[in-house]
Amino acid sequence: MMTLTDNGKDWLARNAGVNNCFASSGVSYKDLEGNSHTGSTTDVAAMLVVAALLGYPYTTKEIVNGKTYDDFKSANGDYDLEIDDVGTVYEEQEKTPPYCAAVATPTPTPTPTPTVTPTPSPTPTPVPNAEVCAYVESAGKGNLTWNHVLALRYEYLGLTDLAESKRQAIPEDKRPASIPSPISWEQYLGVRYYYLELYSIGDAKLGCGWSE
């Protein structure tokens, strides 16, 4: 069931888009651990769905443009964002032109306090996508568990022991022999999209061929 309203789409375009339009890149957002990323409007929609699935307190955590899932839900007529809605966002994002919201009259915003940006540490080179594909193939299409996703998320965050505990919690007949490491945020997103059965978007991230 799709529950994304026009007001909800406008909210995404204004808060999770570029120039009030859905965008395939250039959107800054945060994951539920507070880490910053840059991706697409679809990536933000998927993060909102995960927040909804996990419930409070994740629905109150900042995700994009200083706003939370609860902020989105209020704009969406108090309807929750569903998994099918993420596919709709992706379709609207990939159109030429993409979905755009009517330009609202801007309200004055306070001048932000300058912050010192720390020098980023070198990012390790992620494993080839083929290794991540082998990880998901251990379960097979349609059989990924939430622990498959959590194991990768914790591995991405460097929480190796916690990641291994989630791998061990996967039923033996679906359990991968190991967790690929290091992985990129895009690779983690690909597995999460596969779990949500949004195979074409997952293939765009990983190319495992599950949308065929």
Side-chain angles (χ1 to χ4, degrees):
M1 177 181 177
M2 291 184 289
T3 56
L4 181 59
T5 67
D6 287 343
N7 286 338
K9 287 194 289 186
D10 285 351
W11 188 97
L12 286 171
R14 292 181 180 126
N15 293 285
V18 175
N19 296 327
N20 293 313
C21 296
F22 287 9
S24 58
S25 62
V27 179
S28 298
Y29 68 100
K30 292 183 178 181
D31 61 31
L32 299 179
E33 286 78 31
N35 300 301
S36 297
H37 304 279
T38 302
S40 66
T41 305
T42 304
D43 294 337
V44 174
M47 187 61 66
L48 290 168
V49 167
V50 173
L53 292 172
L54 294 175
Y56 181 84
Y58 297 99
T59 55
T60 65
K61 291 182 178 290
E62 177 187 345
I63 293 176
V64 65
N65 198 27
K67 299 184 185 300
T68 69
Y69 177 80
D70 285 345
D71 292 325
F72 165 81
K73 185 176 178 180
S74 177
N76 198 47
D78 214 34
Y79 291 106
D80 280 308
L81 191 67
E82 305 287 347
I83 292 171
D84 288 346
D85 295 320
V86 180
T88 299
V89 172
Y90 180 71
E91 292 171 2
E92 296 283 357
Q93 172 188 296
E94 297 303 305
K95 289 180 179 178
T96 305
Y99 181 87
C100 295
V103 178
T105 302
T107 55
T109 56
T111 303
T113 303
T115 57
V116 178
T117 303
T119 302
S121 56
T123 302
T125 302
V127 299
N129 283 353
E131 291 189 27
V132 184
C133 290
Y135 175 85
V136 296
E137 289 291 355
S138 65
K141 182 177 178 179
N143 294 316
L144 283 175
T145 68
W146 183 236
N147 282 323
H148 281 90
V149 180
L150 286 178
L152 273 192
R153 186 170 75 181
Y154 289 134
E155 189 65 35
Y156 171 79
L157 294 171
L159 303 172
T160 303
D161 290 344
L162 192 53
E164 178 60 19
S165 72
K166 295 301 180 183
R167 187 189 74 85
Q168 291 291 343
I170 297 170
E172 189 173 355
D173 62 331
K174 299 181 179 67
R175 185 186 306 151
S178 61
I179 303 171
S181 181
I183 62 165
S184 68
W185 178 249
E186 291 294 298
Q187 289 171 327
Y188 161 70
L189 284 180
V191 173
R192 194 176 70 189
Y193 284 129
Y194 284 150
Y195 169 75
L196 295 173
E197 298 187 2
L198 298 170
Y199 298 123
S200 61
I201 310 178
D203 275 352
K205 301 288 185 184
L206 287 173
C208 299
W210 278 18
S211 62
E212 299 172 357

